[in-house]
Amino acid sequence: MKKENSRRGLKLAAGPLLFALCIWLLPASIFPEAAQRSAVGTIVWMAFWWITGPVDFAVTAFLPIGLNALFSMADMSSVIQNYASETILLLLGASILTISWEETGLDKRIAASFLALIGSSMRSQIIFWFLLSAMLSAVLPNAVVCATVTPIAVSMLRYVGEGEIGKSEKGSLLLLTIVYAAGVGGLATPLGGAMNLVTVDYLQQITGEEYMYISWVVRFLPIFIVLVVLNILYLLAFSKKGSELGGSKEYFREEFRKMPPMDKCEWASFLLFVVAALLAFTRQLYQDILPGLKPAYVFIICAIISFMIKKKDGEPLLRWKNVQKKIIWDLIFIFAGGLAAGTLMNNSGAAAALGDMVANMGITGGVVTIFVIFLFTLLLSDVTSNTATAAIAMPIVISITQGAGLDPIPYIYVASVGVNLSFMLPTSIRAIPVGYGLSPQYMLRKGIGITLLIIVVITLLCWGLMNFWPMFSTI
């Protein structure tokens, strides 16, 4: 016990020490302002505590508030608003709706149906959840996809006894599969996220022409296919042949048949989630009529309605005093903390300073330029939001390529790939599986491998497309 307490004490002390070292040792030539060095130090401190775990993950998520109060890196209101953002409300609403599943037994019914459909083979499960999440993320915000698909997978895992995600290799691998796929899927179309729309806007600015969405799909299709195959093969490598969740298709089909018919409460909890998901997924069809009804608010409205459902005895299905004990607050605060850390990086000017460093490297085109741009955008996406990375990176890419007399279009495409991908830290959507119990250490270990692999493969692939496929240099 003493040894364990000593280790915890060292980890606790290492966080602020790393923060101080960043302030003292980061070169002023790159980060001229103390606020910028402090922002980088905050990211380093948070990453270290999330990975080593000397305090609860949600506690680490509040560091941006405390440190910003002391070191004034950004306007505090811009930091605080991350803890009540639209995405946070979406996650809260989705969490409440899935609690109603547990109350009615719908979670077991959904789990049995998915297992009866897919089977219990881990390899089949990985392929299914990856393709499902990637296809949804091609046309929907990846946060919405993660927030809706992850609880379904967790329900299935609980049903087969793998509900303690942090202690389950199989459960951890499946949640990692979903969040990887949500990132990869976003690259497939401009509708995959706001970061892609930022890129489209810059393409239209430099060409003076309207950018057709089908052009994006065509040009990124080879990269998207390679990323899907590469990610699936990487994830499958961690699942031994013959690995099972338990049971067979026939067993789960029989278990599903044994279940009693759905009662009114179960139907109501099911329909509320379906309505919320469908309205979130079809936002573009009604946004002109109801411009304020964004996905986050759809989930909150449906969550409110779920408290109105009554059981057979007339008692409410959900009561707040019970629900609040089951809400995954870790998920909400970890996600918010990641957003807040990104705000510190952006608003302090630290992210822009990194961009200036890249711009001053004197790159002149070719594979080295592709590598630097891709590495910069990929790593920046790990510590701030994808959209913020796009807003910072695109003007820098345009500036350095035009300054070197290069066509900026293919390099913008390269940057777009990096903007969409990130694998290592529990920031942005990667906070969602961590909130459900995935260990940040596990995420980092697996994330380092796929990051290194993708850096090599995508750098070479983009170099090949740029040199041998003329369409990759056009809009």
Side-chain angles (χ1 to χ4, degrees):
M1 182 63 74
K2 285 183 179 180
K3 190 174 182 181
E4 185 177 330
N5 287 337
S6 177
R7 286 178 179 173
R8 180 175 181 270
L10 289 172
K11 292 173 184 176
L12 284 169
L17 177 61
L18 289 169
F19 176 80
L21 289 174
C22 286
I23 294 175
W24 294 333
L25 300 181
L26 285 176
S29 58
I30 298 176
F31 303 102
E33 297 179 16
Q36 297 171 348
R37 298 192 293 276
S38 298
V40 176
T42 302
I43 293 285
V44 173
W45 184 346
M46 292 176 73
F48 181 80
W49 271 12
W50 268 333
I51 292 163
T52 59
V55 296
D56 293 331
F57 300 145
V59 174
T60 300
F62 289 105
L63 279 175
I65 297 175
L67 292 174
N68 191 53
L70 294 170
F71 295 91
S72 300
M73 294 170 269
D75 177 64
M76 185 60 88
S77 62
S78 66
V79 177
I80 293 293
Q81 69 186 14
N82 290 292
Y83 294 82
S85 67
E86 287 183 3
T87 306
I88 296 301
L89 293 176
L90 186 151
L91 295 173
L92 177 61
S95 186
I96 292 171
L97 289 176
T98 54
I99 288 169
S100 71
W101 296 3
E102 186 180 339
E103 294 295 319
T104 61
L106 177 63
D107 57 341
K108 294 182 177 63
R109 191 181 301 273
I110 290 174
S113 63
F114 268 89
L115 287 161
L117 173 68
I118 311 164
S120 59
S121 164
M122 270 299 294
R123 294 196 163 189
S124 297
Q125 289 280 340
I126 288 169
I127 293 171
F128 171 80
W129 290 106
F130 194 97
L131 294 178
L132 172 67
S133 301
M135 287 187 292
L136 290 174
S137 291
V139 293
L140 301 166
N142 50 25
V144 174
V145 173
C146 251
T148 51
V149 174
T150 301
I152 297 172
V154 170
S155 294
M156 181 194 70
L157 291 165
R158 285 173 181 159
Y159 184 70
V160 295
E162 300 284 350
E164 289 191 59
I165 305 299
K167 298 179 180 178
S168 168
E169 174 71 24
K170 295 173 182 177
S172 296
L173 193 58
L174 283 186
L175 293 202
L176 210 59
T177 296
I178 293 168
V179 77
Y180 280 10
V184 170
L187 181 67
T189 76
L191 299 176
M195 60 280 183
N196 295 341
L197 299 179
V198 170
T199 302
V200 167
D201 186 58
Y202 276 108
L203 285 167
Q204 292 179 156
Q205 286 182 35
I206 65 171
T207 62
E209 300 176 28
E210 181 181 359
Y211 190 86
M212 298 299 172
Y213 284 11
I214 188 62
S215 297
W216 180 291
V217 175
V218 171
R219 283 152 184 77
F220 283 98
L221 185 61
I223 299 172
F224 176 69
I225 292 172
V226 168
L227 284 171
V228 168
V229 173
L230 194 63
N231 274 265
I232 289 177
L233 290 176
Y234 181 79
L235 291 161
L236 289 177
F238 297 105
S239 179
K240 295 178 182 178
K241 190 174 182 180
S243 177
E244 302 277 338
L245 284 174
S248 61
K249 276 189 180 182
E250 291 70 25
Y251 170 77
F252 291 114
R253 283 172 184 163
E254 184 59 31
E255 288 295 301
F256 185 74
R257 282 194 289 267
K258 288 178 183 177
M259 291 181 173
M262 292 173 67
D263 61 19
K264 289 182 180 179
C265 282
E266 195 173 349
W267 270 113
S269 62
F270 173 71
L271 290 174
L272 279 174
F273 190 89
V274 169
V275 167
L278 284 176
L279 287 175
F281 291 171
T282 57
R283 162 79 176 145
Q284 66 273 19
L285 300 179
Y286 62 85
Q287 61 183 355
D288 293 334
I289 303 170
L290 295 169
L293 192 61
K294 297 180 181 179
Y297 310 137
V298 168
F299 273 87
I300 285 294
I301 291 170
C302 289
I304 292 170
I305 295 172
S306 69
F307 284 92
M308 303 177 189
I309 301 171
K310 289 189 176 181
K311 296 185 286 189
K312 290 180 181 178
D313 59 7
E315 285 292 308
L317 175 66
L318 299 178
R319 287 189 181 275
W320 181 254
K321 65 180 180 181
N322 297 322
V323 168
Q324 65 178 341
K325 298 174 185 175
K326 296 181 179 180
I327 291 173
I328 308 173
W329 297 110
D330 281 12
L331 158 63
I332 292 169
F333 293 131
I334 293 167
F335 193 100
L339 294 178
T343 296
L344 293 181
M345 286 288 293
N346 296 329
N347 292 8
S348 68
L354 285 171
D356 291 340
M357 179 188 71
V358 173
N360 293 327
M361 290 177 67
I363 51 182
T364 57
V367 71
V368 174
T369 301
I370 294 170
F371 171 78
V372 171
I373 290 174
F374 183 62
L375 181 66
F376 168 61
T377 50
L378 182 68
L379 296 182
L380 190 59
S381 292
D382 241 315
V383 296
T384 186
S385 73
N386 306 83
T387 304
T389 299
I392 292 165
M394 293 309 163
I396 291 170
V397 170
I398 293 169
S399 174
I400 62 177
T401 51
Q402 289 183 333
L406 302 169
D407 179 2
I409 291 175
Y411 294 98
I412 290 174
Y413 290 151
V414 172
S416 297
V417 182
V419 163
N420 275 271
L421 302 179
S422 41
F423 301 93
M424 295 185 289
L425 295 179
T427 52
S428 190
I429 62 168
R430 293 170 302 285
I432 295 175
V434 171
Y436 280 95
L438 179 68
S439 164
Q441 296 96 320
Y442 183 91
M443 177 178 284
L444 180 66
R445 287 200 308 271
K446 296 294 188 284
I448 289 173
I450 189 65
T451 297
L452 293 174
L453 184 62
I454 280 178
I455 287 171
V456 173
V457 172
I458 296 302
T459 296
L460 294 176
L461 175 61
C462 287
W463 177 84
L465 292 173
M466 198 178 294
N467 284 276
F468 301 105
W469 191 35
M471 189 178 287
F472 194 70
S473 297
T474 67
I475 64 166

